[in-house]
Amino acid sequence: MINNTMKIALLLSIITAAVSTTTTNAIRLHYNSSSTIHTLTNSSYPSHNIFISGGSTLQLLNGASITAPSSVDDGESAVRIDDATFIAVNGTIVGGADFGGIGVTISSSRDDTAEASFGTGMAVYGGDAARNKTTQGGDAVQVIHAGSKATFDGGTIVAGRGCSQEVCGVSYNGNAIKVIMGEVIVKGGMFDGDFYNLQGSILIYGCVEVRDGRIKGVLSDGSVIDVAYVGEEEQLEIVYDESVCPAAAPTIDDPTSGIESVRSFTLVLVSITTVSLAMAVCCL
């Protein structure tokens, strides 16, 4: 006869075994308590999927690295924010390799919000592709619902690379930023990859212009931006900041006119010298 205590112990042992036995050795961390501001404390989170939900707040402050597992079965994103807040100040996030995993996903349900902010010490990479799984590189950061927002004050944001092997045929890189719906604010950072915008809005601060399908200029933090923009220009807004514009090159006079002036001045001196010598000879 098994008593209640033994049943509980047996159940716990089964649960523990199920969590520790996975085909990809992936670890899922869930933060869903809105009563506490959580902080990642380890220096490294290899083969991890981190989920932030239920109004909770998670901070990445100490330079920790988060790398998603190389399997889409464990989630497409290294970090996923659902109706929650992610404050990424200093660290590295890498989407799952081989299958083109996503670095960070920001998602919100109806009548709720989700937000992620990225500081100067952050680096976010989309996962690269491998020919046996996909030819499409992963997006570094994607915003997918109307109540979702991502703010970039700095950092390095790099799209995943498409399969580079010849047998892959046509392959594509991911996007540095992908907006299905929602809002993206860019004040600083280094971006390697396209800005894709379907039905959202992108707001960029700096001495920036959109020309020939590219966003070019200097962001408010002084970083140079030169990325392709895929989307309607009406959904892209520039908050112009003249203070970060490069200094204008000094105006240089036409060198030809300068030379002529020097020559004219030389001829005048020669003429005056000749007259002076003539007068001196005359009076001797």
Side-chain angles (χ1 to χ4, degrees), residues 109-259:
S109 56
R110 185 186 297 272
D111 300 326
D112 215 328
T113 60
E115 185 170 353
S117 60
F118 300 87
T120 57
M122 281 302 304
V124 183
Y125 299 88
D128 294 335
R131 69 184 181 92
N132 60 333
K133 294 186 179 181
T134 182
T135 59
Q136 173 77 48
D139 302 322
V141 178
Q142 70 169 356
V143 180
I144 59 178
H145 291 127
S148 306
K149 181 168 74 171
T151 302
F152 298 88
D153 294 307
T156 301
I157 313 298
V158 181
R161 298 297 184 249
C163 178
S164 59
Q165 300 179 42
E166 187 175 350
V167 294
C168 292
V170 178
S171 63
Y172 302 94
N173 294 335
N175 301 288
I177 296 176
K178 182 177 183 179
V179 187
I180 304 301
M181 297 180 71
E183 180 183 8
V184 166
I185 299 173
V186 178
K187 297 181 179 180
M190 303 291 291
F191 297 90
D192 183 357
D194 297 351
F195 281 22
Y196 176 88
N197 186 7
L198 183 61
Q199 294 181 341
S201 66
I202 298 179
L203 184 64
I204 301 179
Y205 288 75
C207 180
V208 176
E209 64 176 350
V210 182
R211 183 174 58 191
D212 299 327
R214 299 193 71 83
I215 303 169
K216 295 184 176 183
V218 180
L219 299 173
S220 288
D221 73 335
S223 299
V224 174
I225 185 170
D226 184 358
V227 300
Y229 175 68
V230 182
E232 298 294 332
E233 287 196 15
E234 292 78 8
Q235 297 167 258
L236 176 65
E237 183 179 351
I238 306 297
V239 179
Y240 192 74
D241 183 358
E242 186 177 0
S243 67
V244 296
C245 291
T251 303
I252 302 175
D253 293 334
D254 181 14
T256 303
S257 61
I259 292 172

Side-chain angles (χ1 to χ4, degrees), residues 3 28 31 72 81-82 161-162 222 243:
N3 59 31
R28 291 186 173 191
Y31 296 89
V72 72
I81 303 104
D82 291 297
R161 298 297 184 249
S243 67

